[in-house]
């Protein structure tokens, strides 16, 4: 049985339950795309045109596998790639936001759901010293093979026709919340911050009282505005709050937990 916002607040407030923060990575936590930022590690800081033209819509992860093979063929080491990843800029206010979350882990669980890859994300988070803020990173698995090349695999297969073939963020979010419930963890509220078209699907599983946080001026905000204008599909349940700086997200978060 679904609980009203007020009933859910009373139930979870009495039990001291947590808030769940969910973040996309590229153009959300960081102010660039780490999959294109990696090109700065190549000798010419460029990719061959033939490689760029090999991309097929909806198959970005497979394309990135070819990109990483090319980078390895140029004798670029994982250490060099990691150094380049450490230079990627964070979106305004994000480091401060995650510093706050790190200090309030009794109240907040925080996860990343990203179509980048685990290796790049871990390198970037570790380089900024904010890894302790995150309980889980869901992304395409990446590793370093015996040649010293970075390899990337697709995260999973799924049946969603709206999402790229390698990742449905809605399924990941729903599976995570279900697993947490089985482990005895339930969330008062969920906040989801993202920028892209693949961040729309998970918003459809969010509840009344949750908060959707599209980045201003990016695709997700435009899609949400278009849904309102055209009354397209079932109305989303979460409250929508667009943001420019993560200081705005921090203000929303503090209002929920304090």
């Amino acid at each position: 049985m679904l609980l009203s916002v007020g009933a859910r607040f009373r139930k979870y407030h009495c039990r001291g339950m947590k808030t769940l923060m969910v973040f996309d990575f590229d153009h959300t936590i960081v102010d660039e795309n780490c999959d294109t930022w990696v090109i700065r590690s190549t000798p010419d800081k460029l990719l061959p045109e033939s490689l760029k033209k090999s991309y097929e819509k909806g198959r970005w992860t497979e394309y990135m596998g070819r990109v990483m093979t090319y980078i390895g063929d140029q004798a670029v080491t994982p250490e060099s790639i990691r150094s380049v990843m450490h230079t990627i800029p964070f979106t305004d206010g994000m480091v401060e936001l995650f510093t706050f979350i790190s200090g309030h882990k009794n109240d907040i669980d925080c996860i990343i759901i990203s179509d980048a890859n685990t290796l790049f994300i871990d390198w970037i988070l570790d380089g900024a010293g904010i890894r302790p803020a995150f309980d889980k990173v869901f992304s395409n698995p990446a590793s370093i093979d015996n040649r010293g090349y970075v390899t990337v695999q697709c995260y999973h297969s799924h049946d969603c026709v709206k999402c790229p073939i390698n990742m449905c963020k809605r399924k990941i979010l729903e599976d995570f919340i279900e697993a947490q419930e089985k482990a005895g963890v339930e969330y008062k509220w969920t906040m989801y911050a993202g920028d892209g078209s693949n961040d729309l699907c998970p918003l459809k599983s969010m509840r009344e009282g949750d908060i959707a946080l599209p980045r201003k001026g990016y695709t997700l905000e435009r899609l949400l505005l278009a849904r309102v204008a055209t009354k397209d599909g079932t109305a989303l349940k979460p409250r929508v709050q667009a943001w420019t700086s993560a200081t705005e997200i921090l203000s929303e978060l503090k209002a929920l937990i304090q």
Side-chain angles (χ1 to χ4, degrees), residues 23-34 37 84-99 112 120-131 133-134 215 218 243-246:
F23 290 87
D24 173 47
F25 193 73
D26 293 323
H27 292 295
T28 299
I29 292 177
V30 294
D31 205 19
E32 294 283 347
N33 183 332
C34 61
W37 194 261
V84 167
M85 287 298 149
H86 285 175
T87 68
I88 197 168
F90 281 80
T91 302
D92 181 63
M94 280 293 171
V95 173
E96 293 79 8
L97 171 60
F98 295 123
T99 300
I112 291 171
F120 288 0
I121 292 174
D122 284 343
W123 282 342
I124 292 166
L125 297 181
D126 289 341
I130 58 174
R131 190 64 178 84
F134 300 95
R215 190 175 181 187
Y218 285 75
W243 59 278
T244 300
S245 167

Side-chain angles (χ1 to χ4, degrees), residues 177-229:
I177 291 175
E178 181 180 354
Q180 290 291 85
E181 288 177 351
K182 289 179 179 178
V185 179
E186 296 182 70
Y187 296 107
K188 293 176 293 195
W189 321 112
T190 298
M191 301 175 70
Y192 188 106
D195 73 286
S197 58
N198 63 349
D199 293 309
L200 178 61
C201 195
L203 303 188
K204 298 175 183 178
S205 68
M206 293 173 68
R207 307 159 299 177
E208 183 182 354
D210 292 340
I211 305 176
L213 297 160
R215 190 175 181 187
K216 285 184 180 178
Y218 285 75
T219 301
L220 179 59
E221 184 195 29
R222 292 194 290 271
L223 290 173
L224 291 173
L225 291 173
R227 284 176 65 92
V228 171

Side-chain angles (χ1 to χ4, degrees), residues 7 18-19 59 68 80 99 105 107 159 161 163 170 177 182 209 226 229:
K18 290 184 170 183
T19 293
R59 295 181 176 272
M68 297 316 301
S80 295
T99 300
K105 294 303 294 175
D107 301 308
D159 298 324
V161 298
C163 292
R170 178 176 181 172
I177 291 175
K182 289 179 179 178

Side-chain angles (χ1 to χ4, degrees), residues 153-172:
Q153 299 175 355
C154 293
Y155 180 79
H156 65 182
S157 59
H158 59 84
D159 298 324
C160 179
V161 298
K162 300 291 187 180
C163 292
I165 62 168
N166 65 297
M167 178 172 287
C168 173
K169 293 187 175 185
R170 178 176 181 172
K171 178 170 175 53
I172 294 171

